[in-house]
Amino acid sequence: MRIGKPRLRLADGQAVLETDIVSDQVPKTLWFSTSERFGDLLADSSDSQLVALLIPAMINGEPISLDGSVSEKLYYSLRGLQRLLLEVMPFLKKIDIRPNELVSERTGASGVATGFSGGIDSFCVLADHHYAKVPEGFRITHLLCNNVGSHDTGGEATFRRRYERLLPLTERLGLPLIDINSNLDTFYGDRLNFQQTHTLRNAAVPLLFGAGIRRFMYASAHSFRDVAVSRYHDTAPTDLISLPMLSTESTECFSVGSEYSRVEKTLKVAELADSHDFLDVCNRTWTEKNCGSCPKCKRTLLTLEIAGKLHAYERVFDLAAYRKVRSGYLGRVFNANDPFSREIMQFAQAAGFPRDAYSRLYGAAWKTKESMKRLARFAKPA
């Protein structure tokens, strides 16, 4: 795979950074676009493009050559990062990276950015780095709203709708919300879903703005106890290790929030009045409100109910839909073994949260069904 030099063009109020790609396996052009007013933050290096396309090149076993300049620090770190990625996704292949030029000068960037979707993780970052007192070098100055594959089948339309939904909040906070659209998702194909690859996709964005972003804080999805480097369907457990390896001399990348459990994050966010009007955790891209019945909605709402905070979110959640599924979900939580369910169960037990008869029966039936599935897998002939 050959990655050309990125070139900037301005069109219809957008700053578009395009890069020619020479490969038989992927599209011929990678592009990122943002509102023209953020164009002066864009870097002229190929750091972002290299990070964005590393995994697509590794799945095809293609060496990468670059016509543009690459951070010396990033180039050095990617040797180790490839080994980490192979632990998580053994089907990848280690590749050579051949930059045209290595650079080690800093750009003088001073901004502090985090991705912001309006979810529990990203609101928790704001709780610690905007609403609370924090050293100035770690106070959020920019929020990023990315379209690099997280919007499921809704694509660009869902990205734009979510961006517009967040603008009133970010204007209230006095923080710019940078919109980043891209065709990056088309490079990943069916074998590389977003959950497996989100860390590198999202880290490519602050590197794109290397002329203005000094620090990038990526909201953690897991607490310290769940950090791991092993085969998994998600890169999130590796973030504390992998993100610093995606840093350059100009832009430092790191994970924040792992000191909290998911329950602790939810309780922290519930103390923010702004979250009562703007919290957005829903898996379903087509609903105006949080649907109340998808896995993320149920997890969040049950935690809020146990804490006595459910009423505060009636404007942004379909609470009627939640109440129809809550007993079954409560039963499942008390019988599942995933980290988030265990946290909620322990929180419920400590709070003396009551369980109705239906939740107990549903939970027992669900546990039996899951046990039968496991036995069937073990009994299956080789």
Side-chain angles (χ1 to χ4, degrees), residues 73 138 213-217 247-248 250-254:
K73 180 177 184 179
F138 293 85
I213 301 302
R214 177 189 175 194
R215 289 194 171 110
F216 171 61
M217 302 177 183
S247 299
T248 69
S250 298
T251 305
E252 180 185 7
C253 300
F254 54 97

Side-chain angles (χ1 to χ4, degrees), residues 215-264:
R215 289 194 171 110
F216 171 61
M217 302 177 183
Y218 195 42
S220 68
H222 293 272
S223 63
F224 288 131
R225 69 172 67 92
D226 297 315
V227 173
V229 178
S230 58
R231 184 166 188 166
Y232 198 51
H233 65 277
D234 191 342
T235 52
T238 73
D239 284 350
L240 276 166
I241 303 166
S242 63
L243 279 161
M245 301 170 81
L246 295 167
S247 299
T248 69
E249 289 81 359
S250 298
T251 305
E252 180 185 7
C253 300
F254 54 97
S255 176
V256 293
S258 288
E259 64 267 40
Y260 306 115
S261 69
R262 176 60 52 134
V263 166
E264 289 171 333

Side-chain angles (χ1 to χ4, degrees), residues 110-136:
S110 60
V112 181
T114 188
F116 188 67
S117 65
I120 291 293
D121 292 328
S122 53
F123 255 116
C124 188
V125 176
L126 284 187
D128 284 344
H129 299 90
H130 174 77
Y131 294 95
K133 289 183 178 180
V134 66
E136 284 304 310

